[in-house]
């Protein structure tokens, strides 16, 4: 028997979700060896599989290096040790050997049992407090916080690949949409929006100014009005373009209804910004009946929350924009994304129509 | 007065069409000098302008170099000389100093009068025969053809920038469409197709397989059926994808109606090709009632001419494909092009709907 | 004579810089008419040209609309009127009819003479104070500021197209670099940097993290060390990647020297961020000898100013980052830009070598 | 026991190469069921694995559909049946149920033993002759050829993912190069070229005209001269640009050494084409000492074979170009490709330098 070896166990959908493949790959990539001691693959697709492997390194540090990686893939050792923590020496500073999170579901072995880490986000640390664990960004770390260090006692669950049903994520797979039938994708997106709403889920629009410029603002406003959008995350530009279009009919001076340039239209962009400053805010502009249509109008009317995050190239920016990005970041986060390559000026009106958000 | 100078004249829409600007630029770029001797700009926009300039070079060859360029811009010299020709010494060979054509309207001064060059294309030579002149590609040059050489006695007309009306070329200008309202562009394209037809013009579709793959084939087939497309220039791929979709409902094995993959669908592509070989040609396949819908079907039914030009990566290619590209080239040529950046799977159905080519 | 007409004058390089062409275009696009009353084009290229035109509208408002546009192109009327101003009614609000600036040199006719507007930027207003005029962004407008309104008494100078010399701007023209010889462009950029320095000019680098990721960080650090870069404008990511590379040899966990992934390398990114928080700032990290090489190190050592502007997706961001974008904007501004399409990992080392910034 | 079930076996690197994962996925995607009867995973990484599964369908045709797909993944049934063939009814026509090939290594079970299919290419058929099997394109099928039909008795081997060594394919993985250090990639490509040559392999360049236009032609010519390139596959454009550059110093009229436009340079492109027609061919042009440098010159001098395939937009094309694409296709084929996103004008000179192909 090899001197530098450890026995690991893994269970779950080992074959489906490539767990076993990744473990084999990692061991070999790191120039280690493995022996399969036991493997049982679920007879039926609903059954879980189980594997027990001996991992062999060249020396102690090599073995530890391999184990570090395998822990990330969900492998556990027979004699599970509790995860270790260390106190933050001052505000906004991690201990040196801090565990850096992924965006997958994570558990830690704490006081001899597995507990879930809440508020999972990528590239953060895990703070343990009593019997709970929580994902925390560096700027929110306080002196004395107990922060997880090393890699032991941590288990990361790879997301299982969905089989049943057929929402747009499953339909598209991981590939790009550039080789798919556009009208069908629009239909799928519309169906997913409706199904998500039906199940009590929420739809959040993260949009840019091209929505207005390519003539899709009416479709989006309508989807907000009909209750198909529950929150809007955007930047200054979407709001400014929307107000320009709503008040002057142009987007950067171009008449949206026919694509021609308005006389003196170059100033419409700044005129829109000025009109919001004059009113005091988007909400006040609606209350003063100066803004009577469009995306931001419908948000205010329907009390749909919107967050406008500032960026370096903003004109203005509007009084409603959160100019401190450290503050704006608290409202943001993506767990998974799917790319659809289309023309937003054609695609969104198609989605709106299929969703039944007609005028 | 400068020893190495010549007097040139230009007339036309000198300001509008930038002729004068280009002449000034060219002289300065080549390190020459000019003196404006006379200039009269049309009082009204319909009037032509006239300018007379003295062009000054450093020496004889420098002056000739400048004159060569100015002739291209339409400048003529007071004492207009006839253009010179030289006979081709053998088939498919130009004389050394051959004049290489542009795609703009060109006249040559021949037997003391200006005559138009017919069949204007880019990067060809001009062959003079009797009182006519014609643009000819290198592979069609015959030994003994009188080919224009040098730059003297040649006048090129820059296309005038259109002012009135508003077809899609004028609407878009030279810029890309990426910052324009999609639905309006589709409307404009539809209107232009209708207006062109009304004036007795013809619409030629130059399309690729993405039309089928993104689900726009039905819209195109309909536009052919309703007479809005008068000819189709394409490659092997459009026809193969169209036949696969028409006969099996898939495009490269993907069901176009819902984007899912057909079982054993990878062979549908070759199955479609085989079905055409089996019939003998696309036309015969229609006659044998094996091809009963789609783009190629409508072409055969409506007797719309189509040219399928081969390319190196073709599968098959179909018996209808012209595999010799030297032959296929005789059917091709673009004088001016305008880019619209959109998603063809969303854009073409929109155009078809606005054109009234409804099912 | 037409009832609704005005006489305008223009002078300058009317032909070269397309001023006359634009005036003709604008009048015709707006459905107006013009008559050329007098035109004199400079005999030599150094001479200015002069034109006097009668502009004719359909009615008073139509004529005014045309005049508004022509003023922008630099046309003046014989009886020049002073520009008008109006006081801001409160902080951060323009008067309704405010003049919205372009980024071209602008003069206003104030107290019967032309004065230059200082600090020219786009999409701002002009504040007049005594005999001076200044470009001011909306958030810096104070109640009572005298702000220019309307379009009268304002003259915008189109930048003249340069003829002599040959810096990279002139060499490239307005086109993209994708069809140009890369090695020559790198040489031109290197020459321009050297010439700019020789004339006492300054070079500011605006860079992103791809510099580090593609292996060009050493070249950039060297250019700072050798004094070829005088300031750095960047975001959080450049600094974080640079610190990760300088301290751990990786960029997002990838070893830059051979492109392979470091074990546990995914945490290096956050480790780098943590190391800066631990030191307190980039400068302190250098002083504590924890950061001993790289772009940020050279900046600190050479006392080269750097501005790191925050953005919504920043990790951290570093303590050195300006998280309020309204504040960060005060350090930014582009007057003209030229696009070079290349691979930064190959291009910058080439520039550094040609500039003589060898290790 | 289920009425509609079959037992399959698979062996090989089931986990590493995802064979088992794909089988599970396919069964589930097709709404079938499976039971794992036996599984043995190799103890060591060099060991093969073995699995025996019962596959269950809803009815006979459903089961067959699933089996069709599993055969493709390399599954075999215990009682292996010979593959079936059918004779082609005429030239260039497959039998209806023909087996359409992939580009992976394929065996057929013929006369009770597995035989390899030679000349594997994608989207072709398999012709059986005596004890051999060969991949044949549709246009080369002759009446009477015995062509494999159906899916039974066919085994496709998924390529194993390489572990050891580190050529550029392994280094890059399947991802794009856009996030990798350019100089290191160039070094890797150079090493692979040298190692391939050392092992007696051959390097084939497939290049376009951008090589000349971006100033990389000298580097490529040098690599041919030093024996690092053994064959060139290109189109008309590479050869024409190369001849233009070699004889006139320009590429489409632009001087490659400094990026400026040559006077009358627009005709250089056609001049280059004419010079080849005048000589008769590229080879004759070299013999006549009219072509004395460049890529095509080095090919002729070193007797390096080159194939120039025609395409629809060719100017000329040169006498050396194969204008019939059905003929040109016989020289082409790609088994696997790896994308490196860089700037060819910077990248190729870097590769040439690292390969030691110095002037």
């Amino acid at each position: 028997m090899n001197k530098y070896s450890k026995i690991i166990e893994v269970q779950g959908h080992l074959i489906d979700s490539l767990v076993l493949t990744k473990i084999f790959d990692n061991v070999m990539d790191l120039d280690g060896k493995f022996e399969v001691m036991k493997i049982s693959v679920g007879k039926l697709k609903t059954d879980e599989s189980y594997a027990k492997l001996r991992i062999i390194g060249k020396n102690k540090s090599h073995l530890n290096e391999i184990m570090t990686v395998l822990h990330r893939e969900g492998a556990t050792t027979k004699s599970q040790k509790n995860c270790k923590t260390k106190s933050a020496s001052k505000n906004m500073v991690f201990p040196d050997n801090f565990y850096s999170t992924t965006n997958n579901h994570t558990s830690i072995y704490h006081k001899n049992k597995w507990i879930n880490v809440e508020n999972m986000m990528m590239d953060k640390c895990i703070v343990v407090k009593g019997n709970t664990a929580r994902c925390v960004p560096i700027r929110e770390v306080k002196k004395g916080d107990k922060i997880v260090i090393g890699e032991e006692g941590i288990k990361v669950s790879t997301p299982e690949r969905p089989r049943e049903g057929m929402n747009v994520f499953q339909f598209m797979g991981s590939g790009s949409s550039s080789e798919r039938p556009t009208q069908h994708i629009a239909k799928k997106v519309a169906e997913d929006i409706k199904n998500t709403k039906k199940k009590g889920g929420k739809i959040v629009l993260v949009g840019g100014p091209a929505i207005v410029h390519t003539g899709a603002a009416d479709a989006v406003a309508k989807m907000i009005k009909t209750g198909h959008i529950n929150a809007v995350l955007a930047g200054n530009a979407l709001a400014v373009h929307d107000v320009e279009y709503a008040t002057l009919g142009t987007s950067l001076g171009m008449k949206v209804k026919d694509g021609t340039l308005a006389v003196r239209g170059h100033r419409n962009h700044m005129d829109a910004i000025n009109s919001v400053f004059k009113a005091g805010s988007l909400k006040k502009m609606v209350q003063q009946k100066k803004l009577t249509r469009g995306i931001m109008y419908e948000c205010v009317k329907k009390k749909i929350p919107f967050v406008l995050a500032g960026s370096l190239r903003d004109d203005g920016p509007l009084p409603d924009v959160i100019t401190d990005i450290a503050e704006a970041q608290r409202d943001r986060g993506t767990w998974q994304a799917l790319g659809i390559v289309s023309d937003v000026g054609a695609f969104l009106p198609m989605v709106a129509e299929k969703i039944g958000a007609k005028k």
Side-chain angles (χ1 to χ4, degrees), chain A:
Chain A
M1 204 202 86
N2 198 295
K3 205 171 160 188
Y4 304 109
S5 73
K6 272 196 182 167
I7 291 164
I8 61 161
E9 292 174 308
V10 265
Q11 55 190 4
H13 293 279
L14 301 188
I15 308 293
D16 281 36
S17 298
L18 306 184
V19 176
L20 210 53
T21 306
K22 282 183 201 157
I23 286 177
F24 284 19
D25 281 6
N26 279 320
V27 174
M28 290 189 269
D29 284 348
L30 293 170
D31 224 11
K33 290 181 183 171
F34 64 84
E35 283 170 26
V36 178
M37 301 174 71
K38 192 177 168 187
I39 187 162
S40 72
V41 174
K43 275 202 181 177
L44 305 175
K45 69 176 168 176
T46 47
D47 297 348
E48 292 212 329
S49 303
Y50 168 85
K52 186 171 168 181
L53 294 88
R54 180 188 304 282
I55 305 301
I56 307 153
K58 296 172 184 169
N59 49 48
K60 200 179 163 189
S61 95
H62 182 225
L63 179 60
N64 282 344
E65 191 184 282
I66 298 171
M67 290 306 291
T68 289
V69 174
L70 299 190
H71 283 135
R72 295 234 148 218
E73 298 300 341
T76 55
T77 43
K78 199 74 188 175
S79 53
Q80 184 61 56
K81 289 183 187 157
N82 280 319
C83 73
K84 289 179 193 155
T85 62
K86 195 173 171 185
S87 295
S89 60
K90 47 180 174 169
N91 285 354
M92 300 199 280
V93 176
F94 296 151
D96 281 353
N97 193 29
F98 71 97
Y99 173 83
S100 185
T101 58
T102 69
N103 63 341
N104 288 324
H105 295 300
T106 302
S107 313
I108 59 169
Y109 201 69
H110 178 60
K111 296 185 184 171
N112 302 316
K113 63 176 191 178
W114 288 106
I115 59 172
N116 284 327
V117 180
E118 288 160 30
N119 195 34
M120 236 24 242
M121 289 178 294
M122 200 174 183
D123 288 340
K124 306 290 177 284
C125 75
I126 299 172
V127 173
V128 179
K129 200 171 176 180
N131 292 322
T132 63
R134 192 175 169 76
C135 201
V136 171
I138 191 164
R139 289 196 166 224
E140 294 181 11
V141 165
K142 300 293 168 212
K143 184 179 171 175
D145 278 353
K146 283 182 183 165
I147 293 175
V148 174
I149 57 171
E151 303 274 337
E152 221 160 6
I154 298 160
K155 195 165 64 179
V156 179
S157 312
T158 312
E160 282 179 28
R161 296 192 296 159
R163 296 256 132 239
E164 316 283 339
M166 263 292 276
N167 69 21
V168 78
F169 268 82
Q170 291 147 29
F171 160 66
M172 298 279 299
S174 56
S176 127
S177 77
S178 57
E179 296 276 313
R180 301 287 181 133
T182 314
Q183 295 172 92
H184 181 67
I185 295 175
K187 205 178 112 200
K188 268 284 169 209
V189 169
E191 281 169 10
D192 273 17
I193 291 175
K194 285 198 282 190
N195 289 336
T196 302
K197 297 287 299 178
K198 206 173 290 171
K199 293 177 194 163
K202 288 192 191 313
I203 303 295
V204 180
L205 174 79
V206 184
I211 288 174
V212 180
H213 218 69
T214 60
D218 293 344
V220 170
K222 194 73 195 172
M223 283 193 275
I224 295 169
K225 191 174 183 180
T226 54
H228 291 95
I229 292 174
N230 301 100
V232 172
L233 301 182
N236 181 64
L238 175 68
V240 172
H241 279 65
D242 178 62
V243 171
E244 181 186 336
Y245 173 53
T247 56
L248 301 163
T250 59
S251 176
L252 288 181
M254 177 198 69
K255 294 179 202 163
V256 175
K257 78 166 195 297
D258 66 11
T260 58
L261 295 177
V263 172
R264 226 186 156 198
H266 76 283
R267 70 185 293 290
N268 290 4
H269 183 66
M270 286 311 297
D271 205 6
I273 292 170
N274 196 41
S275 67
V276 184
F277 272 103
K278 208 170 154 186
S281 71
L282 288 163
K283 191 177 171 187
K284 285 183 186 164
M285 197 173 170
V286 172
Q287 288 165 346
Q288 294 164 21
K289 299 200 188 335
K290 302 286 187 190
L291 183 64
T292 58
R293 55 190 297 268
I295 295 172
M296 302 319 296
Y297 168 80
E298 298 294 351
C299 285
V300 172
K301 273 302 188 194
K302 291 279 288 186
K303 295 192 170 55
I304 293 296
F306 57 88
V307 178
L308 304 178
S311 74
L312 189 60
R313 307 230 0 202
D314 286 348
D315 285 316
L318 296 184
D320 305 73
V321 167
I322 302 172
T323 59
D324 192 306
I325 59 97
E327 192 190 332
Q329 284 187 335
R330 290 193 196 102
D331 293 296
R332 296 292 162 100
T334 307
W335 190 60
Q336 269 194 302
L338 181 77
I340 294 175
V341 180
S342 185
D343 172 346
V344 76
F347 190 78
L348 285 183
M350 214 177 248
V351 170
E353 194 195 320
K354 285 176 201 295
I355 219 172
K358 281 170 197 154
K359 284 206 192 194

